[in-house]
Amino acid sequence: MRCLLVEEEVHQFSNLVKSLSGEDVSKCYQCGKCSAGCPIASEMEILPNRIIRLIQINSKDTVLSSSTIWLCVSCETCFTRCPEDIDLVTVMDVLRRLSVEEGYRCPEEGILRFNRFFLASVKNYGRVHDLGLIVRRNLASRQPFKDVGQGIALFRRGKIPLRPQGIKGVDQIKGIFAKSKTFLEREASGGGGR
Amino acid sequence: MKYAYYPGCSLESTARAYDLSVRAVCRDLAVELEEIEDWNCCGASSGHCTNYRLSHALAGRNLALAEREGLDIAVACPACFLRLKSTRHEVRADARLKKELAELIDLPYEAKYDTKHLLDIICREVGMEEVGKRVEKPLTGLKLVPYYGCFLVRPPKVTQFDDPENPQSMDILMDALGAEVLDWSGKVDCCGGSISITKRDIGAKLVSEIADAARGVGAEAIVTACPLCQSNLESRQGSQALPTFYFSELIGLSFGMKEANTWFRRHLVSPVALLASHGLL
C-alpha cells in the first residue's frame, strides 16, 4: 500500500495561491488582527484569519466555495495591519478568480451578478453607465422596482445621465476584454460549472 | 502646475458636484487640469476581483494615455486612484507584467509619471499657505468630521499618502478654511463601497456606525474625498441624515465662489439649511 504523498501534491493548493498572489501565507501565525479590523467580519461564516489557515492546510473546496471571499470589500485594513505584511486583499483576489475560473458555485450570486453587469457596461461603453447597471441588475434579480424612488431622486438632481456615453476607443476596450479572457467571454462561449 | 486629469465614472454621474467643484477650485489655485482624452473606467473592484490582466489593462490604458502627454495624473476618486497607482507600482516591480500590459493595451507604457489624489495635490503641492490666502468666507462655526475611508491611505505602501490609521491632511485643510474640525474614531472606517448595492443591509449598518460616530462627537456634517463614500453616506443613513460634503465644495464655498449653490443643489441630503444657519449661504 502506498501511503506516502509527495510534498507538492499535499501542498498543491497553498503553492498555487502563493505562485499566483506572490504572498506567502505560511508566514501567518494566527494573531487575528485581520479579522479584528475587518468591517464585514460579523457577516462572514469563515473569518479572514481562518481563510488563511484553510489555505495553509490546503482545504481548497472549503475556501473557494465560501461566501467570505465574495463578502470581502477589499478595504485594505487587513493588509495595512498585518504584522507579517501579508497582502490578504491580493490573496482574496486570487481566491475569487480561482473560484470563478474553476466554476465553483458562488454563494453570493448577487455580488457576482453585480460584477458581471458592471464589467459588461465597461466592455460596451468603456465607462460605467449607472442607470443601465441598475435596470439590468433589477431585471436579473426579478425586483424591477428596487430603488426606483432613489433612482428618480438621483435623476432629478442631474446625477444619472439617461443615455450611455461610449468612449471613442471602445473597440480597444473590447480588445482588452477578449485578450484578458474574462469570465464574460467564457460565459458567452458556454463555459462549464461545478 | 499641470496634471492629466482622470475624473472617473462617478464624477460623470452621481458625483457631478465633485467634478464641478474640483475643476472650479483647481482653476482658482492655478492647478491646470487637462482631462485625459478618451479615458476609460479603471475596472474598480469588479475588475480586480475577477481578472488580473483585465484590471491592470483597464488602469494601464489610462496611464499610457496620460504618459503620452508627459504629465503626472490627478485623480478625484480614491478607488480609481488606488487602481491606477497599483498598476504603476506593479509594472515598476514586475518586468513580465510590463511586457504583458503592452500587448494587452497595444500602447507603450514606461511607468514614468506618478498618480496623485487631488487632496494630496492641494495639501502638499499647493500648500495651506496658498489655500489660506484665498479664503474670503471662513467656514466659522461649521462643525465637521473629516472622513478619509479606505483607498486614500490604504495600503500605505502603494498610496504613499498620510497616516493610514490617523490621517491629518483633510483636518488641516478644513482648519485652514476656518471650520471647526472635530476629532473622531470613524476617519478610516469602511463604508462598504459597492456592497451597499449588492447587500444593502450590510452597507446600511456600516454607514449608520460611521454617522453615529460623527454625531457622537457633535458633528453637523461629514466631509469626504470619495464619491462612493459620499453617495453611500447620503443614501444609506436613513432619517435625520447628516449632510456630506466633498472637500472641494467646502474649499469653493470658503473662497466665496458663487456657483457653490449649484453644487449643493445636487445633494440628496441638502446641506442648504445647515449652511444658511451659519450664515454661509
Side-chain angles (χ1 to χ4, degrees):
Chain A
M1 190 175 83
R2 286 187 59 197
C3 51
L4 279 175
L5 283 167
V6 280
E7 199 184 342
E8 286 82 60
E9 281 175 22
V10 179
H11 295 298
Q12 214 174 23
F13 182 54
S14 57
N15 286 341
L16 178 65
V17 172
K18 187 176 173 181
S19 74
L20 291 174
S21 67
E23 297 298 314
D24 184 3
V25 298
S26 70
K27 291 190 298 184
C28 171
Y29 48 74
Q30 293 293 313
C31 74
K33 256 192 164 182
C34 49
S35 300
C38 175
I40 316 290
S42 62
E43 313 291 333
M44 289 173 172
E45 49 169 7
I46 303 173
L47 291 174
N49 65 307
R50 307 258 338 218
I51 290 283
I52 295 200
R53 183 70 193 124
L54 288 164
I55 300 170
Q56 289 174 343
I57 62 169
N58 295 285
S59 281
K60 181 180 175 184
D61 288 345
T62 313
V63 170
L64 296 187
S65 56
S66 77
S67 60
T68 296
I69 60 176
W70 295 103
L71 290 173
C72 160
V73 290
S74 310
C75 75
E76 305 277 357
T77 308
C78 49
F79 177 30
T80 302
R81 295 180 183 171
C82 177
E84 284 294 326
D85 213 19
I86 297 169
D87 182 349
L88 186 48
V89 181
T90 294
V91 172
M92 288 289 186
D93 274 347
V94 163
L95 300 175
R96 289 182 272 246
R97 292 174 203 144
L98 280 174
S99 170
V100 172
E101 277 164 23
E102 300 203 7
Y104 281 83
R105 199 189 70 82
C106 176
E108 291 294 342
E109 268 181 41
I111 294 176
L112 193 58
R113 199 184 300 131
F114 172 80
N115 289 334
R116 190 178 292 130
F117 293 148
F118 189 97
L119 293 178
S121 179
V122 179
K123 185 179 169 183
N124 292 329
Y125 306 110
R127 293 181 192 168
V128 174
H129 176 232
D130 294 339
L131 192 63
L133 195 67
I134 294 168
V135 169
R136 266 175 292 167
R137 178 206 65 181
N138 285 4
L139 290 176
S141 61
R142 297 189 184 82
Q143 297 170 282
F145 300 110
K146 194 180 178 191
D147 294 334
V148 159
Q150 207 156 52
I152 292 169
L154 289 169
F155 178 67
R156 285 180 58 191
R157 285 169 180 78
K159 281 173 172 275
I160 305 187
L162 255 192
R163 273 181 309 163
Q165 267 186 302
I167 66 167
K168 280 182 272 170
V170 78
D171 288 339
Q172 293 165 23
I173 303 296
K174 286 187 172 145
I176 287 172
F177 271 80
K179 284 186 252 180
S180 305
K181 299 189 180 67
T182 73
F183 73 116
L184 297 179
E185 279 70 33
R186 272 203 313 281
E187 286 177 348
S189 64
R194 180 183 290 223
Chain B
M1 205 181 302
K2 188 173 175 182
Y3 288 91
Y5 178 45
Y6 182 83
C9 302
S10 302
L11 275 81
E12 289 197 323
S13 56
T14 53
R16 275 295 282 152
Y18 192 13
D19 184 57
L20 294 169
S21 56
V22 155
R23 288 177 195 263
V25 163
C26 284
R27 213 176 296 128
D28 220 49
L29 290 170
V31 178
E32 198 181 330
L33 299 178
E34 186 180 297
E35 186 167 332
I36 299 174
E37 194 179 339
D38 212 39
W39 58 268
N40 58 270
C41 169
C42 71
S45 55
S46 297
H48 72 79
C49 282
T50 57
N51 194 295
Y52 175 80
R53 278 176 299 224
L54 177 72
S55 162
H56 286 306
L58 289 174
R61 180 175 177 272
N62 298 307
L63 294 168
L65 292 175
E67 191 167 85
R68 227 161 39 183
E69 305 299 320
L71 295 169
D72 283 345
I73 305 175
V75 191
C77 166
C80 304
F81 163 69
L82 182 59
R83 296 301 3 122
L84 300 191
K85 195 107 180 166
S86 295
T87 295
R88 176 175 188 258
H89 186 78
E90 288 196 37
V91 164
R92 284 167 79 97
D94 183 350
R96 204 176 53 181
L97 174 63
K98 187 180 170 189
K99 188 165 167 277
E100 200 175 359
L101 182 67
E103 284 162 15
L104 284 166
I105 62 176
D106 227 356
L107 288 168
Y109 177 57
E110 297 299 326
K112 277 190 271 189
Y113 298 92
D114 202 3
T115 296
K116 290 179 179 172
H117 190 273
L118 277 151
L119 180 66
D120 186 10
I121 292 169
I122 290 174
C123 290
R124 288 200 292 200
E125 305 295 321
V126 177
M128 283 312 105
E129 203 183 325
E130 279 304 305
V131 172
K133 271 190 222 161
R134 285 174 169 76
V135 174
E136 283 178 16
K137 210 163 67 173
L139 309 177
T140 314
L142 187 63
K143 294 192 181 74
L144 292 174
V145 284
Y147 176 54
Y148 298 79
C150 303
F151 305 137
L152 265 181
V153 293
R154 284 195 301 262
K157 231 183 246 173
V158 182
T159 58
Q160 295 165 321
F161 174 60
D162 218 330
D163 186 287
E165 301 290 354
N166 187 14
Q168 296 294 326
S169 311
M170 222 182 331
D171 295 56
I172 295 167
L173 174 64
M174 290 302 134
D175 186 61
L177 306 182
E180 188 176 329
V181 183
L182 303 164
D183 206 9
W184 70 310
S185 63
K187 321 186 130 163
V188 294
D189 286 353
C190 174
C191 74
S194 64
I195 213 163
S196 73
I197 303 171
T198 53
K199 306 279 284 183
R200 202 179 165 144
D201 295 348
I202 302 180
K205 189 180 136 222
L206 294 173
V207 164
S208 69
E209 281 168 7
I210 292 164
D212 287 348
R215 257 187 232 100
V217 296
E220 295 168 313
I222 301 169
V223 54
T224 172
C226 176
L228 199 51
C229 296
Q230 201 274 350
S231 161
N232 280 340
L233 283 164
E234 278 205 324
S235 58
R236 297 284 182 253
Q237 269 190 68
S239 59
Q240 306 213 306
L242 292 176
T244 307
F245 294 102
Y246 302 107
F247 76 100
S248 46
E249 290 179 313
L250 292 179
I251 300 177
L253 179 68
S254 74
F255 286 7
M257 290 180 176
K258 295 208 167 44
E259 65 261 48
N261 263 324
T262 63
W263 309 330
F264 300 137
R265 251 185 263 139
R266 292 174 178 270
H267 284 230
L268 280 180
V269 177
S270 174
V272 170
L274 170 67
L275 294 174
S277 76
H278 288 290
L280 295 169
L281 272 185

